Amino acid sequence: MKRRNTTSKDAVLALLTSSGKAMSQDAIVKKMEITADRATIYRILKSFCEDGITHRIVAEDGKQYFAICNKCEEKKQAEHHFHFRCTQCQTLECLPTAVEFSIPKGYAVEGVNCVLTGVCKNCTETP
């Protein structure tokens, strides 16, 4: 579906692209340089997911994050990769490793949500 471009869409896309990491809706609202209400930001994020621009990650705490994954150009790869959430700096990022799994006969996988938690590379290297 062809969607019209808006200043708010451009701002959200620029923010997600420049961050290089997944962001929650709250973080996006806080860092926006223009004013947009939460409902508008939610609709923008939803349309980005539907259009394959971003993907949604639900962390173990139930919070939703949105990311543009430059490492996974193909839709299939974008759906089947791990994410890592740092318990110290609270960032969530896409990991480049594809998920390989097998399931019993008769099941059909429609999506994968893999979030690993721990301490990220930046926090372990910081003295």
Side-chain angles (χ1 to χ4, degrees):
M1 169 196 304
K2 177 89 170 133
R3 300 183 198 266
R4 67 185 182 98
N5 242 6
T6 64
T7 305
S8 298
K9 276 187 180 180
D10 291 342
V12 171
L13 185 60
L15 188 57
L16 285 170
T17 303
S18 67
S19 78
K21 299 198 183 295
M23 296 179 72
S24 68
Q25 181 179 351
D26 291 339
I28 292 168
V29 169
K30 284 180 187 173
K31 292 190 178 196
M32 290 275 291
E33 293 183 8
I34 63 167
T35 304
D37 62 44
R38 292 180 55 78
T40 299
I41 301 300
Y42 178 78
R43 282 192 302 273
I44 290 169
L45 293 169
K46 184 177 182 226
S47 72
F48 283 175
C49 289
E50 290 169 354
D51 295 345
I53 296 168
T54 63
H55 60 280
R56 179 187 337 257
I57 304 125
V58 180
E60 78 288 348
D61 62 358
K63 194 169 194 174
Q64 294 183 47
Y65 294 83
F66 300 86
I68 294 174
C69 187
N70 298 324
K71 298 173 188 120
C72 351
E73 300 283 321
E74 296 177 26
K75 186 173 170 53
K76 184 174 180 177
Q77 262 188 313
E79 289 176 358
H80 299 108
H81 65 273
F82 285 101
H83 301 92
F84 190 90
R85 190 178 71 77
C86 180
T87 55
Q88 287 188 6
C89 66
Q90 302 303 314
T91 60
L92 191 141
E93 60 186 304
C94 299
L95 297 176
T97 307
V99 177
E100 293 185 28
F101 56 87
S102 63
I103 58 171
K105 241 184 180 167
Y107 291 87
V109 175
E110 293 180 355
V112 174
N113 184 31
C114 300
V115 179
L116 306 172
T117 57
V119 181
C120 73
K121 181 178 162 184
N122 289 340
C123 289
T124 57
E125 291 176 355
T126 306

